């Protein structure tokens, strides 16, 4: 039987990194279990990218420990890098080269040549629907198509850990769906661990575990359900009700066209309210708070608003 220690594939212990007087990462510690979807959330400047760069061996830590698969990263950096695939926010591929040439040159960096490369390319083409794109220059592809190539590049060497740094930003819903289906299949079939940063809270809500970082420090961590229970209440959505009736309840509410949203501490409080006022609650539903509510409660900031401002206000 595997112990919890055996099941940890990433361990971060009291990690520090400063740039001059700025403490980008200020003593954070967390663990990622093998095969899980781990969400690492924070606004721009919170310390996410700095942590990822240290995790990938691209940036030297000031102090603390980073263990990958039980091994300190500084002990065997080349071997550890072979266990990690990264999909960065911005593509690192050559726009002038064809898709196939891009992937072939990247595969060579991992010692993948000839028939071995051809076999892996065929697998990735089927997985990510790339066959029709192989001869086209990368720079001529759409954003969604380029993102699929970025994922293929990260998967060439069959990594144990896939780091996704806002992988679906700006993508259409269909491409997002394809990418997430591929990722879920790889987790199920190959026990691959996924380390995700995102500002789409519905993606974070599907994670096995979430860490929220703010100003270089961890502000909250837990499963999505644990975080929702700790930082948000429940909501009752009432349909076809007049505002005077809602006011008589004496609780916080928000009117929205033909519905009203009530805030309650928990499901028990919602049930008690409904039982006490059946004449008002004829058409309603009860929902848990969302990860957006958790993030706002923990940091006092809206993640999506911050990300949009950082991109010149572009719609995500």
């Amino acid at each position: 039987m595997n112990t919890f220690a055996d099941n940890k594939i990433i361990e971060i212990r009291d990690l520090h990194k400063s740039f001059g007087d700025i403490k980008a990462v200020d003593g954070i510690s967390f663990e990622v279990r093998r095969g899980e979807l781990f969400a690492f959330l924070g606004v721009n400047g919170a310390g996410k990218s700095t942590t990822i760069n240290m995790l990938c061996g691209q940036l030297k830590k000031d102090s603390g420990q980073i263990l990958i698969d039980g091994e300190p990263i500084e002990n065997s950096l080349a071997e550890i890098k072979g266990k990690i695939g990264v999909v960065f926010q911005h593509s690192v591929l050559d726009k002038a080269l064809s898709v196939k040439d891009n992937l072939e040159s990247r595969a060579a960096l991992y010692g993948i040549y000839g028939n071995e490369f051809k076999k892996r390319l065929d697998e990735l083409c089927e997985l990510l629907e790339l066959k029709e794109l192989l001869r086209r220059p990368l720079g001529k592809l759409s954003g969604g198509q380029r993102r699929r190539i970025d994922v293929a590049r990260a998967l060439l060497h069959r990594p144990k850990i896939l780091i996704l740094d806002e992988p679906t930003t700006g993508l259409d819903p269909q491409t997002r769906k394809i990418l997430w289906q591929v990722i879920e299949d790889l987790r199920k079939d190959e026990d691959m661990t996924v380390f995700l940063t995102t500002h789409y809270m519905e993606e974070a809500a599907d994670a096995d575990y979430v860490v929220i970082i703010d100003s270089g420090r961890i502000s909250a961590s837990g499963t999505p359900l644990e975080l929702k229970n700790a930082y948000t209440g429940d909501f009752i959505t009432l349909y076809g009700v007049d505002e005077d009736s809602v006011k008589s309840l004496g609780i916080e509410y928000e009117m929205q066209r033909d519905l009203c949203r009530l805030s309650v501490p928990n499901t028990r409080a919602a049930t008690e309210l409904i039982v006490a006022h059946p004449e008002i609650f004829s058409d309603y539903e009860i929902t848990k708070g969302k990860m957006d509510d958790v993030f706002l409660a923990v940091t006092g900031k809206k993640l999506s608003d911050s990300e949009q401002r950082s991109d010149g206000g572009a719609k995500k």
Side-chain angles (χ1 to χ4, degrees):
M1 179 182 292
N2 288 339
T3 65
F4 176 74
D6 295 330
N7 203 32
K8 292 183 290 188
I9 195 165
I10 299 173
E11 298 173 69
I12 304 291
R13 300 175 183 169
D14 196 26
L15 188 63
H16 290 261
K17 182 65 182 180
S18 296
F19 299 99
D21 295 331
I22 300 173
K23 294 182 178 180
V25 174
D26 192 12
I28 66 172
S29 300
F30 61 84
E31 297 166 346
V32 182
R33 296 191 189 191
R34 196 178 309 276
E36 77 177 356
L37 172 58
F38 178 94
F40 193 52
L41 307 181
V43 298
N44 284 338
K48 303 191 306 296
S49 294
T50 301
T51 301
I52 288 173
N53 286 333
M54 288 189 284
L55 187 61
C56 297
Q58 294 185 324
L59 186 63
K60 188 176 180 180
K61 59 185 172 59
D62 292 341
S63 62
Q65 278 191 308
I66 301 173
L67 288 86
I68 304 295
D69 216 6
E71 188 73 23
I73 194 168
E74 59 269 18
N75 285 8
S76 51
L77 185 56
E79 181 183 344
I80 286 174
K81 281 185 174 182
K83 297 180 180 181
I84 299 174
V86 187
V87 179
F88 296 101
Q89 290 184 44
H90 305 291
S91 179
V92 295
L93 296 175
D94 191 327
K95 292 183 179 180
L97 294 179
S98 71
V99 169
K100 183 180 179 181
D101 288 345
N102 263 296
L103 294 177
E104 190 166 16
S105 63
R106 293 289 168 164
L109 297 177
Y110 296 104
I112 303 172
Y113 305 97
N115 288 335
E116 185 183 359
F117 168 70
K118 184 178 183 303
K119 181 180 178 182
R120 186 55 175 157
L121 182 63
D122 288 343
E123 291 171 347
L124 292 172
C125 282
E126 183 175 352
L127 194 66
L128 289 157
E129 302 178 13
L130 304 179
K131 190 173 182 180
E132 302 301 320
L133 305 177
L134 290 180
R135 297 186 180 280
R136 296 177 59 182
L138 189 80
K140 298 293 185 181
L141 302 183
S142 68
Q145 291 169 333
R146 286 198 300 271
R147 182 56 71 190
R148 279 188 277 153
I149 308 305
D150 289 330
V151 173
R153 174 197 55 77
L155 295 174
L156 279 166
H157 58 300
R158 302 181 188 276
K160 290 186 176 183
I161 302 167
L162 181 63
I163 297 177
L164 302 173
D165 194 5
E166 297 182 18
T168 59
T169 296
L171 299 187
D172 62 273
Q174 182 180 2
T175 303
R176 287 176 66 192
K177 184 177 180 180
I178 290 172
L179 288 181
W180 275 112
Q181 186 60 59
V182 168
I183 291 162
E184 286 306 304
D185 288 345
L186 289 168
R187 287 183 61 213
K188 180 177 67 176
D189 298 338
E190 301 183 14
D191 200 28
M192 188 177 69
T193 303
V194 177
F195 187 106
L196 170 73
T197 77
T198 182
H199 68 267
Y200 291 117
M201 289 294 97
E202 68 270 25
E203 294 178 347
D206 290 333
D208 297 298
Y209 201 80
V210 177
V211 165
I212 298 175
I213 184 172
D214 190 29
S215 300
R217 296 184 176 184
I218 292 176
S219 298
S221 62
T223 67
L225 181 59
E226 288 170 344
L227 291 173
K228 289 175 185 178
N229 286 339
Y231 292 100
T232 73
D234 285 10
F235 296 95
I236 309 173
T237 302
L238 269 168
Y239 300 96
V241 66
D242 65 88
E243 189 168 0
D244 288 338
S245 296
V246 176
K247 282 182 179 179
S248 69
L249 297 173
I251 63 173
E252 183 181 345
Y253 71 91
E254 178 186 359
M255 296 297 298
Q256 299 176 3
R257 291 181 178 261
D258 59 346
L259 62 84
C260 177
R261 195 177 191 225
L262 308 176
S263 300
V264 289
N266 49 50
T267 305
R268 181 175 181 177
T271 303
E272 291 174 351
L273 189 66
I274 292 164
V275 170
H277 302 277
E279 72 284 357
I280 296 176
F281 294 90
S282 58
D283 188 6
Y284 66 90
E285 59 182 343
I286 304 174
T287 57
K288 288 283 186 188
K290 297 181 180 180
M291 287 303 297
D292 296 273
D293 303 309
V294 170
F295 193 88
L296 182 60
V298 170
T299 68
K301 305 161 189 171
K302 289 186 177 181
L303 183 57
S304 57
D305 287 351
S306 168
E307 298 296 342
Q308 288 175 12
R309 285 195 298 271
S310 73
D311 194 38
K315 185 178 180 181
K316 304 288 189 178

